[in-house]
Amino acid sequence: LSVIRKSILDQVGGFRRGFEGAQDHDLFLRISETTKRICHIPKVLYAWREVHTSTAGNPLSKPDAQENGLSAVDEHMKRLFGPTCHAKSCDHLFVYDTCCTLKKEVLASIIIPTKDNLSYLKNCVESIVEKSSHKNYEIIIMDNGSQEEHTRKWFFEIKRKCPNIRIIEADYPFCWSKLNNHGIEAARGEIFLFLNNDTIVISHDWIERLGGQALRNDVGVVGPLLLYEDGTIQHAGVVVGLGGWADHLYKGMETVHYGSPFVSPLVKRNVLAVTGSCMAISRKTIESIGAFNESFLICGSDVEICIRAHEAGLLNIYDPFVRLYHFESKTRHPENIPQQDFEMSIKHYKHYRMVGGDPFYNINLSLESTTPIIDNRRL
């Protein structure tokens, strides 16, 4: 059920032959290139009839729909972003993987704050060096007062072994935002990849994928799928307002494609925010919207910079085709978060903390569960 202004339908040429089974997908993509005034009404306005001959009841009922849908998305990418961008199929029907090529000469600056915890940091850096297929990168380790001798010894050895790794002394009280801003000042790249020291790269093309999207003129921040050590989901996009503040959707769930009341965790989508544990932002975006807000001490500034990008008219992207491990505990203790961060969140999260305030999360879904479930009070 869709309502389209006739002048726009005439302008884009209506439905096209050759896209049977995905003709509406193709139409809506072309309309989105013409106007941004597209609205979804979050009310149940009609019931969808499912029959065996429709893809709603049987995804295999229209064999051409998958390929024609892929063609629609691929042509859309090329129209918007040029011939180096494309779409490809993946393991799931009607899920398309969109990519923007990152040129080999583009330098990516990977910024990692740390204080000792060498076992984590060493594994993180080694995964970058061993797995990254994009070789034009620098690693900037922000040393926030490491004191252990074996850490200092490793710093000396890794700098000698890898000339593209630098250790920046950051001898001041811990402030996640300040450490990353300090890293930005030292960085030389066109892309900044902010990374926690307790992460491990899984996807060899993580730099190309995150960086290629971050360099788009319409994109602010890009984040990947992060996994706990047991392979369950640690991060698949942030919903502001979830749990009263902001939280990771699908947290603790299996990495499977499934039909829920919300989109699958294995489908790329726009989000209001992603986690700072791994996020990509281009230099030009930082120059446009500003760096991290240093009034946040431990957490919250990652969400705040994403909100700033959104309010500047940029898109933030969650990309499940990029995967890393993040060895954060499944339980975060709020008593470890300073009161100042809560106060800053109240100030900067604004109306996004209210029910239905996150524009990328359906108003009918509960904000009390990281697993998407219907909030019956809203219906």
Side-chain angles (χ1 to χ4, degrees), residues 16-26 53 55 58-73 89 93-94 96:
R16 294 195 295 173
R17 290 184 180 274
F19 293 90
E20 287 72 19
Q23 65 280 348
D24 48 355
H25 196 173
D26 172 61
T53 55
T55 53
N58 177 15
L60 300 176
S61 64
K62 298 179 180 178
D64 293 336
Q66 163 73 15
E67 290 303 315
N68 291 342
L70 177 62
S71 296
V73 177
S89 58
L93 277 176
F94 311 121
Y96 307 115

Side-chain angles (χ1 to χ4, degrees), residues 292-303:
F292 293 100
N293 188 329
E294 295 183 14
S295 295
F296 289 89
L297 299 179
I298 293 180
C299 65
S301 61
D302 51 354
V303 173

